[in-house]
Amino acid sequence: MHGNYTMYIFAESNWIMAKEIKIQSKYKITKEVVQTVQLLAEDNSIQLVADALKINKRTLDARIILIKKECGVKTLHGLVALFFRNKLIK
């Protein structure tokens, strides 16, 4: 990871800066992304999360890969830990 970038969180049609953290690129975190990671953090299976979000399991798999890549983490555990550390999920 090189340099500090800003992570944003989407809240009711306004982008608000959540916290400056080190990530590989500027990546806008939407409410949907936060909800996805929150559901994963609650130890739900990929299928249960996909059902809750009303999307296909393969779509969710692709989304998780993209989120991990954009946030500069390699594992699901690392992604959840990143969101916890930056108080994006509880």
Side-chain angles (χ1 to χ4, degrees):
M1 291 188 264
H2 301 286
N4 285 332
Y5 294 92
T6 304
M7 179 180 273
Y8 293 89
I9 184 170
F10 186 78
E12 299 166 353
S13 73
N14 294 324
W15 289 102
I16 4 176
M17 189 170 64
K19 186 168 188 171
E20 191 169 311
I21 61 171
K22 286 187 174 184
I23 56 176
Q24 289 182 342
S25 63
K26 287 186 179 178
Y27 182 62
K28 293 183 177 167
I29 305 296
T30 63
K31 284 176 23 176
E32 187 175 69
V33 169
V34 173
Q35 181 184 19
T36 300
V37 176
Q38 178 69 50
L39 288 167
L40 292 167
E42 293 168 359
D43 200 28
N44 292 307
S45 70
I46 297 294
Q47 187 62 57
L48 283 175
V49 174
D51 291 345
L53 297 173
K54 297 180 179 152
I55 59 174
N56 186 288
K57 181 182 177 292
R58 287 184 179 209
T59 303
L60 179 60
D61 288 337
R63 183 180 294 171
I64 291 168
I65 290 167
L66 176 66
I67 296 167
K68 289 190 305 188
K69 181 180 177 186
E70 292 292 332
C71 291
V73 296
K74 295 179 182 175
T75 64
L76 195 53
H77 174 78
L79 181 65
V80 170
L82 176 71
F83 275 62
F84 268 118
R85 277 194 310 271
N86 290 285
K87 297 181 170 91
L88 295 173
I89 59 174
K90 298 177 183 181

